Structures are given as structure tokens and as C-alpha cells.
Amino acid sequence: MNIVKPATPPLSSELIARFRKIVGDKYAVTDAADIAPYVTEERDLFHGHSPLVLRPGSTAEVSAICRLASEHKIALVPQGGNTGLVGGQTPHHGEVVISMRRMDKIRDVDTASNTMTCAAGVILQIAQQRAAEVDRLFPLSLGAEGSCTIGGNLSTNAGGTTALAYGVAREMALGLEVVLADGRILNTLSKLKKDNTGYDLRNLFIGAEGTLGIITAATLKLFPKPRAIETAFVGLKSPAQALKLLSIAQNEAAGTLTSFELLSDIAVDFSVRHGIDVRDPLAAKHPWYVLMELSSPRDDARATLEAILAQGLEGDIVGDAAIAANLSQRSAFWKLRDEMSAAQKPEGGSIKHDISVPVVAVPDFIEQANAAVVKLIPGARPVPFGHLGDGNIHYNVSQPVGGDTADFMSRWHEVNAVVFAIVLRMGGSISAEHGIGVLKRDELPEVKDKVAIELMRSIKAMLDPLGIMNPGKVL
């Protein structure tokens, strides 16, 4: 996808040398081949370019980079694991990339306060493992957790599969350390659950995608580690039936229902067909599936899960179900779910949406969107799946079998318009957990409250008056 904007003037060799001095020769990347991984992304949707990638090792170095960039009006693009899906981490116009991956230290783990303070470059999976080592849980979980970073998670306000029980990234952060555009360091790191001392500046930067400042560290909430985790893969007839099962599960499991994923048959079929060692756990095919998980501090999760499924079977809601008998089977269930995005690649072009609607509206949304998309592009294959428990559906559309990929992808915005119209009519959001970046930037003013857009622009102008922080993203 091409982003049209005037290119950034090239950096002088003298200025590159000054940036290089801040981080050291080893951590200033100028070779085109070495820069390549920083200017492309996994979906191959966005392609950028940059004369320089800086890999700072401390907050002080980030601060010095920003001071020098501000002095010379050099645009910067902060980047974590480069796993974003909306082009927010890509240097589209020749900006300098600031890779945060070297800042990967866990500064503090406090089991009394149930907090962990991490530098921005800590890999999410490492944070999860460190919490587990002290008998705690850091619950943020998503498909890219082996490579995405804490700073990126917070900058995009990542959601994931446990948002139903624990909320999104914003709700897991108690405080932040942020470097502003002019190099000042804002320190709101805190272990306090109660701190009523004026504006909550932390929330300005969470979800801002690096357009207001660069998150360099965060104090995160930890939770009790579950003693029992039970997982079921369920076949049923429709999203409406899945919604009924969700109601039963919430009533029976209360706060121990941690994941409730809705999967269409075509999404499951793609995963089984193109995934490695992936199979359908059920003997027969079903139109829809649910992957549900309970996590309990007691040893009662299995009985609760069985009671939920029993009610579903008695009410003719559940067609069939399999409960994971061990960790290997649980991993297999989740692998089927986690492969769904990658499994769409072999099927050709895929136009993707990360939307949310009120939970009760999900069945109607899917029905209306399917009809509208197929009417717009006969033969198009909707591939909906996602987090039914919080109303977030990844409504992806694969190209017709045998169709022309370039022609199909050229209709991205047409398909967006059809899908977004239904989302907005239902009181939903065009971006549930992936952010705005450049992919949805132009649509944002049309769907966001006008006063909210004005305030966002005012805040951006105040914190980044030179417009050097991730320019062209979000706004």
C-alpha cells in the first residue's frame, strides 16, 4: 500500500555521525541490507525506507536522540518488534527509525505490590515467563507474543485473547516512562493503584502509536497465577448460538472465563489446510466453533467447564465439544486459532478489518457484513473470527478462488466502506486493538467525534510542535 507524502530530506553525513555517537557505531545501522528488516513488515502490505536505524540501549540515549532530532527537525519512527498491522511502525517517508529492542531489561519485580517494571524492548513472552517464575501472571496474550514488545503493546493499546477477563494493555499499566519530542523525560512510573494527583498523563501515550512521545519503560500489573486452566473446542451452528453459550459461561464461570473465541468454519479450514501440524479437534465439521478457556485460582475449573458444556448440549446450543486432556492438547487448540491469520496468505489477497461492536450485535454484524461484501465482490470469501467475549471480530475477506489478487486488493477501501458503514450503524469501532497507523488514518476523522479529533490535534501540536514524532500516523 503506497502512502503519498513528500519525502524527508536526506540526512547529512555530519548529522548521521552525531546520531551515531549517541548510541555507538555498533548500534547505528546505515547499510541498506541491514536496514531492510526495519522498513518492511510481515504482511508485506507496507514498504518504507530509512537512511538510519538507531538502536539505543538506555532512556538517556533515547532522550539525546530526540533532542538532536528536535534541534534539526529530523522525523523519527519508534519501533518495537515490528509486528504492527496498520503501518504505524514503518518509516514511510525516510524517517530515522528508533528500534527499542536493545532496551530489554526487566527492572523490577515486586510480588507484594504485584507489579513488574519493564523497559520498552522486553518481549511480551519474556514478561509472561518472568511473571510465572515468581508465581504470578502477566495476562496480556496475542499471536505475536514471541516477538512483540511491551512498548509496542502499550503504544498500540494491544488487546489479545484475554481481554475478556483482564482488559486491554491500557488496563495493565500503572505507570510509564516516556521521552518527549524535545528530549524531556516524563516519569510516571508507579506501583500505586491509587494516585489521584491530577491528570492521568499515562493514558495520553498508551494507544498514541508513538506520535506524542516514545515509551521507554512501564510498570505493569501482575495477577495471581491460575492453579487450573481448562480449555474446550466447541462446534455449534451459528454466532447466535455462540452468544447463548457465552451467556451460560459467564453465569457459571463468573470471573474465571478468560477467553471466548469465535471461529468460522472457513477460518478453521484454512488453518487445518495450511498450518503445520494443525487439525480440527472434532470428528465432524461444524458451521462455527468456539475456543473457550477458564483459568481458576482453585481446582474447580474442569467441573465448571463441564457444567457449561452440559447446559449447552441440553439446550441444543452445542453440537460437539472436546476438552483438552493435557497441556499438549491445549497448545494444539490454541495453535489452530493462532494460525488463522497466517493461513490466509496461501489463499491469495486478504482485506482485513479489526472491528468491534457491542457483543450482542456480533451475530447481526457478521450476517450483514457477509451479505454486503459478497454483493460487492461476488465470490469473495469472508473469514470472520475473533474475540466474541469483548465484541472484537477480525473480519477478514479473502479473494475469490482463482481471482486476480492485485485487482481484489485494489478494492480495499471499497470493502472498508461497506464494512465500516455496518460497524458504525451498530455503534461500533473501526479499530478494536490494532490501532490506526496509516491504514485507517484517513477514515478516522469521518468516524470520530469532531471535538475529540480537535482535541487530539491540539495535544499533538502541544507535545510535538515540530511534527517529528512518527509523522503521518493516526492524524
Side-chain angles (χ1 to χ4, degrees):
M1 179 171 291
N2 296 319
I3 309 299
V4 180
K5 191 175 180 178
T8 299
L11 289 178
S12 67
S13 57
E14 179 186 0
L15 201 49
I16 289 177
R18 292 181 65 183
F19 278 119
R20 184 187 296 275
K21 186 176 180 180
I22 293 171
V23 298
D25 288 344
K26 184 178 179 181
Y27 302 113
V29 184
T30 55
D31 180 78
D34 294 333
I35 286 174
Y38 297 91
V39 298
T40 57
E41 41 84 47
E42 184 179 354
R43 284 184 1 194
D44 201 35
L45 191 62
F46 301 102
H47 302 88
H49 60 99
S50 175
L52 178 64
V53 174
L54 299 173
R55 302 179 63 229
S58 68
T59 300
E61 290 182 1
V62 177
S63 174
I65 291 168
C66 289
R67 284 198 304 273
L68 182 57
S70 181
E71 179 184 345
H72 293 275
K73 298 182 181 178
I74 302 299
L76 305 173
V77 174
Q79 188 180 101
N82 194 16
T83 60
L85 299 174
V86 293
Q89 78 280 19
T90 304
H92 297 287
H93 316 297
E95 301 94 334
V96 171
V97 174
I98 303 181
S99 171
M100 305 297 290
R101 296 179 199 174
R102 283 185 64 221
M103 295 180 60
D104 60 356
K105 300 296 187 292
I106 295 178
R107 299 182 183 178
D108 177 69
V109 179
D110 184 343
T111 55
S113 297
N114 278 319
T115 62
M116 175 167 58
T117 301
C118 298
V122 172
I123 300 296
L124 173 55
Q125 193 171 70
I126 298 300
Q128 296 168 343
Q129 291 170 356
R130 185 69 181 94
E133 289 171 5
V134 294
D135 202 34
R136 295 293 187 272
L137 172 72
F138 182 60
L140 186 64
S141 181
L142 41 145
E145 60 193 28
S147 54
C148 64
T149 63
I150 293 298
N153 297 151
L154 292 169
S155 292
T156 58
N157 192 26
T161 58
T162 62
L164 170 63
Y166 298 102
V168 295
R170 184 186 305 279
E171 295 162 276
M172 298 181 199
L174 287 170
L176 300 180
E177 177 185 83
V178 182
V179 175
L180 302 180
D182 59 8
R184 286 179 296 164
I185 299 171
L186 172 67
N187 190 338
T188 66
L189 291 174
S190 172
K191 299 179 182 181
L192 303 176
K193 289 183 170 61
K194 292 183 176 180
D195 183 0
N196 200 10
T197 53
Y199 303 144
D200 187 353
L201 300 177
R202 162 197 61 169
N203 276 324
L204 279 176
F205 302 95
I206 298 176
E209 301 182 45
T211 61
L212 301 179
I214 301 174
I215 295 173
T216 51
T219 301
L220 308 170
K221 296 179 185 177
L222 300 181
F223 296 82
K225 187 177 178 181
R227 299 296 174 218
I229 299 176
E230 296 290 346
T231 311
F233 194 83
V234 183
L236 28 69
K237 295 176 183 177
S238 68
Q241 296 293 76
L243 196 60
K244 292 178 182 178
L245 183 63
L246 174 62
S247 179
I248 293 171
Q250 289 176 320
N251 288 337
E252 290 292 326
T256 64
L257 179 66
T258 47
S259 297
F260 198 94
E261 301 289 292
L262 177 67
L263 319 172
S264 61
D265 59 346
I266 189 171
V268 169
D269 182 59
F270 284 0
S271 282
V272 172
R273 189 187 310 170
H274 302 297
I276 300 174
D277 296 326
V278 175
R279 67 179 186 85
D280 186 337
L282 303 182
K285 293 196 172 201
H286 297 264
W288 290 87
Y289 299 86
V290 161
L291 176 58
M292 61 186 297
E293 190 160 272
L294 276 62
S295 305
S296 176
R298 300 177 298 277
D299 295 326
D300 59 353
R302 181 64 174 240
T304 303
L305 181 57
E306 289 175 346
I308 292 167
L309 295 176
Q311 286 191 46
L313 287 164
E314 291 168 6
D316 197 28
I317 296 169
V318 171
D320 192 12
I323 299 177
N326 49 48
L327 182 59
S328 177
Q329 287 187 4
R330 174 179 178 249
S331 297
F333 289 2
W334 277 107
K335 185 176 183 182
L336 187 153
R337 163 65 180 87
D338 292 340
E339 290 282 338
M340 284 184 175
S341 293
Q344 291 167 60
K345 281 188 176 181
E347 296 291 330
S350 177
I351 297 175
K352 301 180 183 296
H353 307 87
D354 163 47
I355 65 88
S356 61
V357 295
V359 174
V360 69
V362 168
D364 285 342
F365 164 76
I366 292 174
E367 181 180 2
Q368 292 183 34
N370 285 357
V373 165
V374 173
K375 181 179 179 181
L376 179 69
I377 304 178
R381 295 171 292 167
V383 189
F385 64 94
H387 321 301
L388 178 61
D390 54 41
N392 173 198
I393 299 298
H394 300 300
Y395 188 78
N396 299 342
V397 183
S398 286
Q399 70 177 61
V401 175
D404 181 86
T405 298
D407 179 65
F408 177 76
M409 297 300 287
S410 72
R411 304 188 70 179
W412 186 291
H413 291 292
E414 287 182 72
V415 176
N416 282 176
V418 165
V419 173
F420 291 165
I422 299 168
V423 169
L424 297 175
R425 192 161 62 241
M426 293 182 172
S429 170
I430 67 169
S431 179
E433 62 179 4
H434 292 166
I436 298 298
V438 294
L439 186 65
K440 301 177 183 179
R441 179 194 61 196
D442 295 339
E443 284 88 357
L444 187 62
E446 303 302 318
V447 302
K448 191 83 172 173
D449 176 80
K450 304 306 179 188
V451 174
I453 289 289
E454 290 173 6
L455 288 175
M456 288 170 64
R457 287 176 173 150
S458 296
I459 292 168
K460 170 72 171 173
M462 178 186 69
L463 291 176
D464 181 23
L466 300 177
I468 65 171
M469 302 303 291
N470 214 3
K473 316 296 172 51
V474 183
L475 294 172

